[in-house]
Amino acid sequence: MGTRRADGEGSYRQRPNGLWEASTRYTAPDGERKRLSVYGKTRAEARGKLNDACKRIAEGAPPRDDKQTIGSW
């Protein structure tokens, strides 16, 4: 029997192109529920990127710096 992940840990899957996708849902500052997906060559790399993004969200920063204007933040 498999193990269960903790609440908020996200889900992982290997895409057909070989990359690993880690995704989770989070609540944006405006109260809207959003999905965040990050990709990596290995599952551990994807998990690390997801953990970094979750830490940024907890600090009140946007999950990613790129593709977001200062005005929208």
Coordinates of all heavy atoms in Angstrom, one line a residue:
M1 N 0.8 -1.2 0.0 CA 0.0 0.0 0.0 C 0.9 1.2 0.0 O 1.9 1.3 0.7 CB -0.9 0.0 1.2 CG -1.9 1.0 1.2 SD -3.2 0.6 2.5 CE -3.8 2.1 2.8
G2 N 0.5 2.2 -0.8 CA 1.3 3.5 -0.9 C 1.2 4.4 0.3 O 0.3 4.1 1.2
T3 N 2.0 5.3 0.4 CA 2.0 6.3 1.5 C 1.2 7.5 1.0 O 1.1 7.8 -0.2 CB 3.4 6.7 1.9 OG1 4.0 7.3 0.8 CG2 4.2 5.5 2.4
R4 N 0.6 8.2 1.9 CA -0.1 9.4 1.6 C 0.7 10.7 1.9 O 1.5 10.7 2.9 CB -1.4 9.5 2.4 CG -2.4 8.3 2.1 CD -3.7 8.5 2.7 NE -4.2 9.8 2.3 CZ -5.5 9.9 2.0 NH1 -6.3 9.0 2.1 NH2 -6.0 11.1 1.6
R5 N 0.5 11.7 1.1 CA 1.2 12.9 1.3 C 0.4 13.8 2.3 O -0.8 13.6 2.4 CB 1.4 13.7 0.0 CG 2.4 13.0 -1.0 CD 2.5 13.8 -2.3 NE 1.3 13.9 -3.0 CZ 0.8 13.0 -3.8 NH1 1.5 11.8 -4.0 NH2 -0.3 13.2 -4.4
A6 N 1.1 14.7 2.9 CA 0.4 15.6 3.8 C -0.4 16.6 3.1 O -0.2 16.8 1.9 CB 1.5 16.3 4.7
D7 N -1.4 17.2 3.8 CA -2.2 18.2 3.2 C -1.4 19.4 2.7 O -0.6 19.9 3.4 CB -3.3 18.7 4.2 CG -4.3 19.6 3.6 OD1 -4.6 19.4 2.4 OD2 -4.8 20.4 4.3
G8 N -1.6 19.8 1.4 CA -0.9 20.9 0.9 C 0.5 20.5 0.3 O 1.2 21.4 -0.2
E9 N 0.8 19.3 0.3 CA 2.1 18.9 -0.2 C 2.1 18.8 -1.7 O 3.2 18.9 -2.4 CB 2.6 17.5 0.3 CG 4.0 17.1 -0.1 CD 4.4 15.8 0.5 OE1 3.7 15.3 1.4 OE2 5.5 15.3 0.1
G10 N 1.0 18.7 -2.3 CA 0.9 18.7 -3.8 C 0.9 17.3 -4.4 O 0.9 16.3 -3.7
S11 N 0.9 17.3 -5.7 CA 0.9 16.0 -6.4 C 2.0 16.0 -7.4 O 2.4 17.1 -7.9 CB -0.5 15.7 -7.1 OG -0.8 16.8 -7.9
Y12 N 2.5 14.8 -7.8 CA 3.6 14.7 -8.7 C 3.2 13.7 -9.8 O 2.5 12.7 -9.5 CB 4.8 14.2 -8.0 CG 5.2 15.0 -6.8 CD1 4.7 14.8 -5.5 CD2 6.1 16.1 -7.0 CE1 5.1 15.6 -4.5 CE2 6.4 16.9 -5.9 CZ 5.9 16.7 -4.7 OH 6.2 17.5 -3.6
R13 N 3.7 14.0 -11.0 CA 3.5 13.0 -12.1 C 4.6 13.2 -13.1 O 5.2 14.3 -13.2 CB 2.1 13.2 -12.8 CG 2.0 14.5 -13.6 CD 0.6 14.6 -14.2 NE 0.5 15.7 -15.1 CZ 0.4 15.6 -16.4 NH1 0.4 14.4 -17.0 NH2 0.3 16.7 -17.2
Q14 N 4.9 12.1 -13.8 CA 5.9 12.2 -14.9 C 5.1 12.4 -16.2 O 4.2 11.7 -16.6 CB 6.7 11.0 -15.0 CG 7.9 11.2 -15.9 CD 8.9 10.1 -15.7 OE1 8.6 9.0 -15.3 NE2 10.2 10.4 -16.1
R15 N 5.5 13.5 -16.9 CA 4.8 13.8 -18.2 C 5.4 12.9 -19.3 O 6.4 12.3 -19.2 CB 5.1 15.3 -18.5 CG 4.4 16.2 -17.4 CD 4.8 17.7 -17.6 NE 4.5 18.1 -19.0 CZ 3.4 18.7 -19.4 NH1 2.4 18.8 -18.5 NH2 3.2 19.1 -20.6
P16 N 4.6 12.8 -20.4 CA 5.1 12.0 -21.5 C 6.5 12.4 -22.1 O 7.2 11.5 -22.6 CB 4.0 12.2 -22.6 CG 2.8 12.6 -21.8 CD 3.3 13.4 -20.7
N17 N 6.9 13.7 -21.9 CA 8.2 14.1 -22.4 C 9.3 13.8 -21.5 O 10.5 14.2 -21.7 CB 8.2 15.6 -22.8 CG 7.9 16.5 -21.6 OD1 7.8 16.0 -20.5 ND2 7.9 17.8 -21.8
G18 N 9.0 13.2 -20.3 CA 10.0 12.8 -19.4 C 10.2 13.7 -18.2 O 10.8 13.4 -17.2
L19 N 9.7 14.9 -18.3 CA 9.8 15.9 -17.2 C 8.8 15.5 -16.1 O 7.8 14.9 -16.3 CB 9.5 17.3 -17.6 CG 10.5 18.0 -18.5 CD1 10.0 19.4 -18.9 CD2 11.8 18.1 -17.8
W20 N 9.2 15.9 -14.8 CA 8.3 15.7 -13.7 C 7.5 17.0 -13.4 O 8.1 18.1 -13.5 CB 9.1 15.3 -12.5 CG 9.5 13.9 -12.5 CD1 10.6 13.3 -13.1 CD2 8.7 12.8 -11.9 NE1 10.6 11.9 -12.9 CE2 9.4 11.6 -12.2 CE3 7.5 12.7 -11.2 CZ2 9.0 10.4 -11.8 CZ3 7.1 11.5 -10.8 CH2 7.8 10.3 -11.1
E21 N 6.3 16.9 -13.1 CA 5.4 18.0 -12.8 C 5.0 17.9 -11.4 O 4.5 16.9 -10.9 CB 4.2 18.1 -13.7 CG 3.2 19.2 -13.4 CD 2.0 19.1 -14.2 OE1 1.8 18.2 -15.0 OE2 1.2 20.1 -14.1
A22 N 5.2 19.0 -10.6 CA 4.7 19.0 -9.2 C 3.6 20.2 -9.2 O 3.9 21.3 -9.7 CB 5.8 19.3 -8.3
S23 N 2.5 19.9 -8.7 CA 1.4 20.9 -8.7 C 0.7 20.9 -7.3 O 0.7 19.9 -6.6 CB 0.4 20.7 -9.8 OG -0.2 19.5 -9.7
T24 N 0.2 22.1 -7.0 CA -0.6 22.3 -5.8 C -1.5 23.4 -6.0 O -1.4 24.2 -6.9 CB 0.4 22.5 -4.6 OG1 -0.4 22.4 -3.4 CG2 1.1 23.8 -4.6
R25 N -2.5 23.5 -5.1 CA -3.4 24.7 -5.1 C -3.0 25.6 -3.9 O -2.5 25.1 -2.9 CB -4.8 24.2 -4.9 CG -5.4 23.5 -6.1 CD -6.9 23.3 -6.0 NE -7.4 22.5 -7.1 CZ -7.8 23.1 -8.2 NH1 -7.7 24.4 -8.4 NH2 -8.2 22.3 -9.2
Y26 N -3.2 26.9 -4.1 CA -2.9 27.9 -3.1 C -4.0 29.0 -3.2 O -4.6 29.1 -4.2 CB -1.5 28.4 -3.2 CG -1.3 29.3 -4.4 CD1 -1.3 30.7 -4.2 CD2 -1.0 28.8 -5.6 CE1 -1.1 31.5 -5.3 CE2 -0.7 29.6 -6.7 CZ -0.8 31.0 -6.5 OH -0.5 31.8 -7.6
T27 N -4.0 29.8 -2.1 CA -4.9 30.9 -2.1 C -4.1 32.2 -2.4 O -3.2 32.5 -1.6 CB -5.7 31.0 -0.7 OG1 -6.3 29.8 -0.5 CG2 -6.7 32.1 -0.7
A28 N -4.5 32.9 -3.4 CA -3.9 34.1 -3.8 C -4.2 35.2 -2.8 O -5.2 35.1 -2.0 CB -4.3 34.5 -5.2
P29 N -3.5 36.3 -2.7 CA -3.8 37.4 -1.8 C -5.2 38.0 -2.0 O -5.8 38.5 -1.0 CB -2.7 38.5 -2.1 CG -1.6 37.7 -2.7 CD -2.2 36.6 -3.4
D30 N -5.8 37.9 -3.2 CA -7.1 38.4 -3.4 C -8.2 37.4 -3.0 O -9.4 37.6 -3.1 CB -7.3 38.8 -4.8 CG -7.1 37.6 -5.8 OD1 -6.8 36.5 -5.4 OD2 -7.3 37.9 -7.0
G31 N -7.8 36.2 -2.4 CA -8.7 35.2 -1.9 C -9.1 34.2 -3.0 O -9.8 33.2 -2.6
E32 N -8.6 34.3 -4.2 CA -8.9 33.3 -5.2 C -8.0 32.1 -5.1 O -6.8 32.2 -4.9 CB -8.7 34.0 -6.6 CG -9.1 33.2 -7.8 CD -8.8 33.9 -9.1 OE1 -8.5 35.1 -9.1 OE2 -8.9 33.2 -10.1
R33 N -8.6 30.9 -5.3 CA -7.9 29.7 -5.3 C -7.2 29.5 -6.7 O -7.9 29.6 -7.7 CB -8.8 28.5 -5.0 CG -9.3 28.5 -3.6 CD -8.4 28.0 -2.6 NE -8.1 26.6 -2.7 CZ -7.1 26.0 -2.1 NH1 -6.3 26.6 -1.3 NH2 -6.9 24.7 -2.3
K34 N -5.9 29.2 -6.7 CA -5.2 29.0 -7.9 C -4.4 27.8 -7.9 O -4.1 27.2 -6.8 CB -4.3 30.2 -8.2 CG -5.0 31.5 -8.4 CD -4.0 32.6 -8.8 CE -4.8 33.9 -9.1 NZ -3.9 34.9 -9.6
R35 N -4.0 27.3 -9.1 CA -3.1 26.1 -9.2 C -1.8 26.5 -9.6 O -1.6 27.3 -10.5 CB -3.7 25.1 -10.2 CG -2.8 23.9 -10.3 CD -3.4 22.7 -11.1 NE -4.4 22.0 -10.4 CZ -4.2 21.1 -9.4 NH1 -3.0 21.0 -8.9 NH2 -5.2 20.5 -8.8
L36 N -0.8 26.0 -9.0 CA 0.6 26.2 -9.3 C 1.3 24.9 -9.8 O 1.2 23.9 -9.1 CB 1.4 26.8 -8.1 CG 2.9 26.9 -8.2 CD1 3.2 28.0 -9.2 CD2 3.5 27.3 -6.9
S37 N 1.9 25.0 -10.9 CA 2.7 23.8 -11.4 C 4.1 24.2 -11.7 O 4.3 25.3 -12.3 CB 2.0 23.3 -12.7 OG 0.8 22.7 -12.5
V38 N 5.0 23.4 -11.3 CA 6.4 23.6 -11.6 C 7.0 22.3 -12.2 O 6.4 21.2 -12.0 CB 7.3 24.0 -10.4 CG1 6.8 25.3 -9.9 CG2 7.1 22.9 -9.3
Y39 N 8.1 22.4 -13.0 CA 8.6 21.2 -13.7 C 10.1 21.0 -13.4 O 10.8 22.0 -13.1 CB 8.4 21.4 -15.2 CG 7.0 21.7 -15.6 CD1 6.5 22.9 -15.7 CD2 6.1 20.6 -15.8 CE1 5.2 23.2 -16.0 CE2 4.8 20.8 -16.1 CZ 4.3 22.1 -16.2 OH 3.0 22.4 -16.5
G40 N 10.5 19.8 -13.5 CA 11.9 19.5 -13.2 C 12.3 18.2 -14.0 O 11.5 17.4 -14.3
K41 N 13.6 18.0 -14.1 CA 14.1 16.8 -14.8 C 13.9 15.6 -13.9 O 13.8 14.5 -14.4 CB 15.6 17.0 -15.2 CG 15.8 18.0 -16.3 CD 17.3 18.1 -16.7 CE 17.5 19.1 -17.7 NZ 18.9 19.2 -18.1
T42 N 14.0 15.8 -12.6 CA 13.7 14.7 -11.7 C 12.6 15.0 -10.7 O 12.3 16.2 -10.6 CB 15.0 14.4 -10.9 OG1 15.3 15.5 -10.0 CG2 16.2 14.0 -11.7
R43 N 12.1 14.0 -10.1 CA 11.0 14.3 -9.1 C 11.5 15.2 -7.9 O 10.8 16.1 -7.5 CB 10.5 13.0 -8.6 CG 9.3 13.2 -7.6 CD 8.8 11.8 -7.1 NE 7.8 12.1 -6.1 CZ 6.7 11.3 -5.9 NH1 6.5 10.3 -6.6 NH2 5.9 11.6 -4.9
A44 N 12.8 14.9 -7.5 CA 13.3 15.7 -6.4 C 13.5 17.2 -6.8 O 13.3 18.1 -6.0 CB 14.7 15.1 -6.0
E45 N 13.9 17.4 -8.1 CA 14.1 18.8 -8.6 C 12.7 19.5 -8.6 O 12.6 20.6 -8.1 CB 14.7 18.8 -9.9 CG 14.9 20.2 -10.5 CD 15.5 20.2 -11.9 OE1 15.9 19.1 -12.4 OE2 15.5 21.2 -12.5
A46 N 11.7 18.8 -9.1 CA 10.3 19.4 -9.1 C 9.8 19.7 -7.7 O 9.2 20.7 -7.4 CB 9.4 18.5 -9.9
R47 N 10.1 18.7 -6.8 CA 9.7 18.9 -5.4 C 10.4 20.1 -4.8 O 9.8 20.9 -4.0 CB 10.0 17.7 -4.6 CG 9.5 17.8 -3.1 CD 9.8 16.5 -2.3 NE 10.8 15.7 -3.0 CZ 10.9 14.4 -2.9 NH1 10.0 13.7 -2.2 NH2 11.8 13.7 -3.6
G48 N 11.7 20.3 -5.0 CA 12.4 21.5 -4.5 C 11.9 22.8 -5.0 O 11.7 23.7 -4.3
K49 N 11.5 22.8 -6.3 CA 11.0 24.0 -6.9 C 9.6 24.3 -6.3 O 9.3 25.5 -6.1 CB 10.9 23.9 -8.4 CG 12.2 23.9 -9.1 CD 12.0 23.8 -10.6 CE 13.3 23.8 -11.4 NZ 13.1 23.7 -12.9
L50 N 8.8 23.3 -6.1 CA 7.5 23.5 -5.5 C 7.6 24.0 -4.1 O 6.9 24.9 -3.6 CB 6.7 22.2 -5.5 CG 5.2 22.3 -5.0 CD1 4.4 23.3 -5.9 CD2 4.6 21.0 -5.0
N51 N 8.6 23.4 -3.3 CA 8.8 23.9 -1.9 C 9.2 25.4 -1.9 O 8.8 26.1 -1.1 CB 9.8 23.0 -1.2 CG 9.3 21.7 -0.9 OD1 8.1 21.4 -0.8 ND2 10.2 20.7 -0.7
D52 N 10.1 25.7 -2.8 CA 10.6 27.1 -2.9 C 9.4 28.1 -3.2 O 9.2 29.1 -2.6 CB 11.6 27.3 -4.0 CG 12.9 26.6 -3.6 OD1 13.1 26.3 -2.4 OD2 13.8 26.4 -4.5
A53 N 8.5 27.7 -4.1 CA 7.4 28.5 -4.5 C 6.4 28.6 -3.3 O 5.9 29.7 -3.1 CB 6.7 27.9 -5.7
C54 N 6.2 27.5 -2.6 CA 5.3 27.5 -1.4 C 5.8 28.4 -0.3 O 5.1 29.1 0.3 CB 5.0 26.1 -0.9 SG 4.0 25.1 -2.0
K55 N 7.2 28.5 -0.1 CA 7.8 29.4 0.8 C 7.5 30.8 0.5 O 7.2 31.6 1.3 CB 9.3 29.1 1.0 CG 9.6 27.8 1.7 CD 11.0 27.6 1.8 CE 11.3 26.2 2.3 NZ 12.8 25.9 2.3
R56 N 7.7 31.1 -0.8 CA 7.5 32.5 -1.3 C 6.0 32.9 -1.1 O 5.8 34.0 -0.7 CB 7.8 32.6 -2.8 CG 9.3 32.5 -3.1 CD 9.6 32.6 -4.6 NE 9.0 33.7 -5.2 CZ 9.5 34.9 -5.3 NH1 10.7 35.1 -4.7 NH2 8.9 35.9 -5.9
I57 N 5.1 32.0 -1.4 CA 3.7 32.3 -1.2 C 3.4 32.6 0.3 O 2.7 33.5 0.7 CB 2.8 31.2 -1.7 CG1 2.9 31.1 -3.2 CG2 1.3 31.3 -1.2 CD1 2.3 29.8 -3.8
A58 N 4.0 31.8 1.2 CA 3.8 31.9 2.6 C 4.3 33.3 3.1 O 3.8 33.9 4.1 CB 4.5 30.8 3.4
E59 N 5.4 33.8 2.5 CA 6.0 35.1 2.8 C 5.2 36.3 2.2 O 5.5 37.4 2.5 CB 7.4 35.1 2.4 CG 8.3 34.2 3.1 CD 9.7 34.1 2.5 OE1 9.9 34.6 1.4 OE2 10.5 33.4 3.1
G60 N 4.2 36.0 1.4 CA 3.4 37.0 0.8 C 3.9 37.5 -0.6 O 3.4 38.4 -1.2
A61 N 4.9 36.8 -1.1 CA 5.5 37.2 -2.4 C 4.8 36.3 -3.5 O 4.2 35.3 -3.2 CB 7.0 36.9 -2.4
P62 N 4.9 36.7 -4.7 CA 4.3 35.9 -5.8 C 5.1 34.6 -5.9 O 6.3 34.6 -5.6 CB 4.4 36.8 -7.1 CG 5.5 37.8 -6.7 CD 5.4 38.0 -5.3
P63 N 4.4 33.5 -6.4 CA 5.1 32.3 -6.5 C 6.3 32.3 -7.5 O 7.3 31.6 -7.3 CB 4.1 31.3 -7.0 CG 2.9 32.1 -7.4 CD 3.0 33.4 -6.8
R64 N 6.3 33.1 -8.5 CA 7.4 33.3 -9.4 C 7.7 34.7 -9.7 O 6.7 35.5 -9.6 CB 7.0 32.6 -10.8 CG 6.8 31.2 -10.7 CD 6.6 30.6 -12.1 NE 6.1 29.3 -12.1 CZ 4.8 28.9 -12.3 NH1 3.9 29.8 -12.6 NH2 4.5 27.7 -12.2
D65 N 8.9 35.1 -10.0 CA 9.2 36.5 -10.3 C 9.0 36.8 -11.8 O 8.6 37.9 -12.1 CB 10.7 36.7 -10.0 CG 10.9 37.0 -8.5 OD1 10.0 37.4 -7.8 OD2 12.0 36.7 -8.0
D66 N 9.2 35.8 -12.7 CA 9.1 36.1 -14.1 C 7.6 36.1 -14.5 O 6.8 35.6 -13.9 CB 9.9 35.0 -14.9 CG 9.4 33.6 -14.6 OD1 8.7 33.4 -13.6 OD2 9.7 32.7 -15.4
K67 N 7.4 36.8 -15.6 CA 6.1 36.9 -16.2 C 5.1 37.6 -15.4 O 3.9 37.5 -15.6 CB 5.5 35.5 -16.6 CG 6.4 34.7 -17.6 CD 5.8 33.4 -17.9 CE 6.7 32.6 -18.8 NZ 6.2 31.3 -19.1
Q68 N 5.5 38.4 -14.4 CA 4.5 39.1 -13.6 C 5.0 40.5 -13.5 O 6.2 40.8 -13.1 CB 4.3 38.5 -12.2 CG 3.2 39.1 -11.5 CD 2.9 38.3 -10.2 OE1 3.6 37.5 -9.8 NE2 1.7 38.6 -9.7
T69 N 4.1 41.5 -13.8 CA 4.5 42.9 -13.7 C 4.4 43.3 -12.2 O 3.7 42.7 -11.4 CB 3.6 43.7 -14.6 OG1 2.3 43.7 -14.1 CG2 3.7 43.3 -16.0
I70 N 5.1 44.4 -12.0 CA 5.1 45.0 -10.6 C 3.6 45.5 -10.3 O 3.1 45.3 -9.2 CB 6.1 46.1 -10.5 CG1 7.5 45.5 -10.5 CG2 5.9 46.9 -9.2 CD1 8.6 46.5 -10.5
G71 N 3.0 46.0 -11.3 CA 1.6 46.5 -11.1 C 0.6 45.4 -10.7 O -0.2 45.6 -9.9
S72 N 0.8 44.2 -11.3 CA -0.1 43.1 -11.0 C 0.2 42.5 -9.6 O -0.7 41.9 -9.0 CB -0.1 42.0 -12.0 OG 1.2 41.4 -12.0
W73 N 1.5 42.6 -9.2 CA 1.8 42.1 -7.9 C 1.3 43.0 -6.8 O 0.7 42.7 -5.8 CB 3.3 42.0 -7.7 CG 3.8 41.4 -6.5 CD1 3.4 40.2 -5.9 CD2 4.7 42.0 -5.5 NE1 4.0 40.0 -4.7 CE2 4.8 41.1 -4.4 CE3 5.4 43.2 -5.5 CZ2 5.6 41.4 -3.4 CZ3 6.2 43.4 -4.4 CH2 6.3 42.5 -3.4

